[in-house]
Amino acid sequence: MPCSIALLGLSASLADGGHQKVSILAALAKATCPVQAVFLRDDAVVPANHALNLPFNVAGRIMPGMSHLPHWRDPDAVAAVVAGL
């Protein structure tokens, strides 16, 4: 199966009409270990305002920037967040 067909299938199973089909918020709310979510302020794929939907037990961190992968944008900052857990 060509990669593009596999990616289209994966995409169709995860999103419909530009909206996610799967939410992990309930699972995050049940977490018994420290959890932090890192967002980039100007991410066009997962907007930073999605941090407002996080359960109370999950800390949201918003980094400046507009790429989609915070660990590529500033690996040292993300590593510091992980090390702080």
Side-chain angles (χ1 to χ4, degrees):
M1 173 182 297
C3 183
S4 60
I5 293 173
L7 289 176
L8 286 173
L10 178 62
S11 173
S13 70
L14 298 175
D16 184 28
H19 299 284
Q20 285 182 209
K21 290 182 179 180
V22 179
S23 174
I24 63 168
L25 295 178
L28 289 174
K30 295 177 185 174
T32 59
C33 62
V35 179
Q36 292 196 36
V38 179
F39 295 83
L40 284 160
R41 183 187 59 224
D42 301 312
D43 186 339
V45 178
V46 181
N49 68 356
H50 284 200
L52 299 173
N53 296 321
L54 292 172
F56 185 70
N57 62 308
V58 177
R61 308 279 301 241
I62 300 175
M63 294 171 54
M66 60 183 292
S67 65
H68 176 59
L69 302 169
H71 58 288
W72 285 5
R73 172 121 174 118
D74 192 342
D76 292 334
V78 174
V81 168
V82 173
L85 292 174

